[in-house]
Amino acid sequence: MVRAGAIVFFVGAVATLITVAPLFLGSWRFPSIAYAVCMLMGVGFLIAVAGVLRGIAVQRRQARSEAT
C-alpha cells in the first residue's frame, strides 16, 4: 500500500511539474483536467500514510498475540 501510494504521489508530482512549466515558459496553459491530475500527489500521500498506519496496526496485533 505504501509502494502504491508512492507511485501515485510521483505521478502527481510529474503532472505538477508538467502543468507548471508552461507558466514559467510563457506558453499556453493546459486544460483544467491537467490541474486535476496534480491532485494525485495528495491522494498518493494519503494512500501511503494509510499503508503505514495499517502496518503499525498489524504489528501491534502481532505483538499483543505473542505477549499472551
Side-chain angles (χ1 to χ4, degrees):
M1 201 161 169
V2 174
R3 198 173 297 156
I7 292 169
V8 173
F9 178 84
F10 285 120
V11 168
V14 170
T16 300
L17 291 174
I18 290 171
T19 54
V20 172
L23 299 175
F24 291 114
L25 300 174
S27 60
W28 294 97
R29 291 180 51 181
F30 285 105
S32 298
I33 191 71
Y35 292 97
V37 174
C38 295
M39 297 301 153
L40 287 177
M41 269 177 60
V43 172
F45 182 76
L46 290 175
I47 292 170
V49 168
V52 169
L53 293 176
R54 189 174 128 207
I56 290 170
V58 168
Q59 287 179 357
R60 280 187 172 181
R61 272 188 247 125
Q62 286 177 350
R64 284 184 186 159
S65 68
E66 290 174 2
T68 56

